[in-house]
Amino acid sequence: MKKILIAVDLQKDFVDGALGTAEAVAMLPRAARKLQDHEGPLFVTLDTHQQDYLQTREGKFLPVEHCVRGSAGWQLHPVIAGALEGKAYRVVEKPTFGSVELPKLVREAAGDEAFTVELLGLCTDICVVSNALLLKAHFPEADISVDGSCCAGVTPESHRAALETMKMCQITVTE
């Protein structure tokens, strides 16, 4: 069985940059260890905005410039980049919360084999939950899970609420 791991938006801006949190900083070593230990297909998503971010719909709702392509905040956090050094992985840039490309890439990586998908990353309550639900919609019979100990939300409360939402949608949550 193929074990696919998806690391969602472990970028500097979400850890200790423009939208960083103490919880994101605290979970980083656990996420790095999980990435280092993973054997199998690995995807890394990057929240990717353009210079006009503040003029976009998202920018109007969240007027904090972040993850602008090419900026320091758009890059993977150095701890994560170090954990991925020497590993094979596929980068998936996404201009919004969930990647509509990700299910197709997961299907390609799985081939004809049975597979599981585990997600970790930032922010639990926005991009992690969006991608987990997209994957569950595409693969309703697959074992989709989220490692809550390797995630952080905008707030601790919204992190917990997102984990509960995913549980209600039959996504396995480990912590």
Side-chain angles (χ1 to χ4, degrees):
M1 171 159 319
K2 284 214 176 154
K3 295 183 182 207
I4 298 170
L5 181 62
I6 300 172
V8 178
D9 300 354
L10 293 169
Q11 294 158 271
K12 185 153 180 44
D13 270 346
F14 290 124
V15 177
D16 54 13
L19 294 171
T21 65
E23 293 80 18
V25 171
M27 71 85 191
L28 209 58
R30 291 186 297 275
R33 243 184 334 276
K34 183 159 265 201
L35 292 171
Q36 286 174 326
D37 293 345
H38 181 71
E39 299 291 330
L42 175 59
F43 295 92
V44 175
T45 71
L46 295 178
D47 192 47
T48 302
H49 300 295
Q50 306 306 317
Q51 293 293 331
D52 69 344
Y53 171 75
L54 294 175
Q55 284 72 55
T56 66
R57 181 167 177 82
E58 181 182 328
K60 292 185 184 340
F61 281 87
L62 178 62
V64 179
E65 198 169 84
H66 65 281
C67 296
V68 173
R69 181 191 307 265
S71 69
W74 178 69
Q75 304 297 323
L76 288 172
H77 189 278
V79 169
I80 297 303
L84 292 169
E85 202 168 293
K87 292 192 81 70
Y89 62 95
R90 171 94 184 252
V91 173
V92 181
E93 291 184 21
K94 53 185 197 51
T96 189
F97 308 133
S99 170
V100 296
E101 181 184 11
L102 204 48
K104 178 184 77 128
L105 296 173
V106 165
R107 171 55 62 209
E108 289 172 6
D112 293 331
E113 289 184 52
F115 65 93
T116 63
V117 178
E118 182 177 27
L119 296 95
L120 57 85
L122 303 167
C123 295
T124 320
D125 43 343
I126 302 174
C127 294
V128 174
V129 69
S130 294
N131 284 290
L133 291 172
L134 273 167
L135 290 163
K136 190 65 176 172
H138 277 85
F139 308 113
E141 295 301 317
D143 179 10
I144 311 288
S145 66
V146 172
D147 184 340
S149 74
C150 293
C151 294
V154 174
T155 68
E157 296 77 22
S158 62
H159 165 77
R160 285 190 296 277
L163 295 176
E164 286 304 313
T165 296
M166 289 185 274
K167 286 179 188 175
M168 293 303 295
C169 294
Q170 301 171 3
I171 293 166
T172 303
V173 175
T174 60
E175 291 186 70

